Amino acid sequence: MTRPRILVVGAGFAGVACVRRLERRLTDREALITLLSPFSYQLYLPLLPQVASGVLTPQSVALSLRRSERHRTRIVPGGAVGVDTAAKAVVVRTISGEFMTEPYDHLVLAPGSVTRSFDIPGLAEHARGMKTLAEAVYIRDHVIAQLDLADASNDEAERAARLCFVVVGGGYAGTETAACLQLLTHNAVKRYPRIDPRLIKWHLVDIAPKLMPELGEKLGTAAMDILTGRGIEVSLGVSVASVDEDAVTLTDGRVLPSRTLIWTAGVAASPLIGTLGAETLRGRLVVSPDMAVPGLDGVWGLGDAAAVPDLAKGEEGAICPPTAQHAMRQGKALADNVVATLRGEKTQPYVHKDLGLVVDLGGMDGVSKPLGVELHGMPAQAVARAYHWSALRTNVAKTRVMTNWLLNAVAGDDFVRTGFLAAKTGTLRDFEYTDAYLTPEQVRLHTTSFRGGAVGTG
């Protein structure tokens, strides 16, 4: 008897939750489970700003996929770059740059998202993102390098440009990034006697009229007060018109001499979704309430890359926001539906009421809305850290994160640069590989042998 092949694409919150549930619910005889991921870890994305600011070490937020010996999933070290639904096969580019083809009977698409960018002059060449572990490490090095170079320079104009930092995006990622990195420079400048702390400028820019509108008027105002109280200039209703190696020009005409533009202006579904030829909604894969893709046999979608209907809202056309809490719960629910399908049982729609939002602004500051309760300041920060700590998947990760928090609170930071990619610009494309995906024609060249139906292995 052949065993169905379940192929899971992506090792984020959704993909890992799905795989772990499948392993618990299916016996080895019932299915073969394969996970595609360029990295052998699950990244706890909400804590990246704390990696960039040096509060947490990179290893603390990278949860190994191979730590437990009882997990039987086959892990393929590579990224999916194309899907041929007619051949029921996925084209994979391994970490060594080679191509291979993985057949499937059930395909779970959880490739996540990439940083959303626009056709702004100079953006592709000069913007840095905050979406991957490598980007967070790179940004930390870059920011400290600007302090080092400003301290060594005798040119006042160069000093001012190196000490001006621009973050674009007033959502959670951008706000937390600006807040945490501002604390980094605030604490670090004490070690640079030649730098006047007043020269360090942080700008948070967003085209939206409000900061983090999902938090509501009261908490949005509280967050604004915290940021401006630290000296961060927040510009709303404004975006970037152009950027070059020396300055950032805003749409209101201002020119900010700067060597640092951190771009966190939202996310877009992984380009992999575009290779399916399936219906999308604002770039996200359209799925039914049980997360199956209509018209594509054995294909499922979830997480940031899928437009999963948000039935809990009770609004026509509402879809789940791309948050970790939805991704983790969707992963478990989708695994249950795959198991139900294999066993000839009925699938169930995904329903989950949002539990609230937490924003850690570093230090003793935060804004949170757990279960509708509005908090700001130290209580909100405590709730935010408690939520993130409890959401970490392994006890080892929890221990590392708590140890890092305590050590940073007691001993502070040494502001050490690793020299990571010091000689490169570190653009979005360098870290997120958005140009790695194949065209439908290229995909079919790799899947020719699978067209007409694939046979399972047992």
Side-chain angles (χ1 to χ4, degrees), residues 12 22 31 54 64 123 180 201 220 250 270 293 306 333 345 359 388 393:
L22 289 171
S64 174
L123 185 68
C180 290
K201 306 292 183 183
L250 304 181
S270 166
V293 179
E345 300 169 355
V359 181
H388 290 314
R393 184 170 49 81

Side-chain angles (χ1 to χ4, degrees), residues 276-418:
L276 272 76
E279 183 183 359
T280 59
L281 177 64
R282 295 193 292 276
R284 299 171 73 180
L285 182 64
V286 171
V287 297
S288 57
D290 66 354
M291 292 174 281
V293 179
L296 295 181
D297 179 46
V299 181
W300 311 76
L302 72 166
D304 292 6
V308 179
D310 193 349
L311 302 183
K313 277 193 174 181
E315 300 175 7
E316 184 71 25
I319 61 173
C320 295
T323 61
Q325 63 173 289
H326 275 293
M328 288 188 287
R329 288 165 176 82
Q330 286 170 11
K332 295 175 182 178
L334 191 149
D336 289 341
N337 284 338
V338 172
V339 172
T341 301
L342 292 175
R343 295 174 180 174
E345 300 169 355
K346 185 179 180 180
T347 61
Q348 299 296 322
Y350 170 75
V351 182
H352 169 66
K353 186 176 181 180
D354 204 309
L355 298 177
L357 303 164
V358 295
V359 181
D360 188 337
L361 297 176
M364 296 294 182
D365 294 318
V367 288
S368 301
K369 196 174 182 180
L371 301 174
V373 180
E374 296 184 337
L375 302 171
H376 62 85
M378 188 184 297
Q381 201 250 23
V383 169
R385 292 205 170 180
Y387 171 80
H388 290 314
W389 185 83
S390 64
L392 291 166
R393 184 170 49 81
T394 68
N395 290 329
V396 172
K398 290 180 179 180
T399 302
R400 283 185 176 137
V401 166
M402 183 60 72
T403 301
N404 282 178
W405 280 338
L406 292 174
L407 183 61
N408 184 265
V410 172
D413 196 341
D414 288 327
F415 313 108
V416 174
R417 283 187 291 118
T418 66

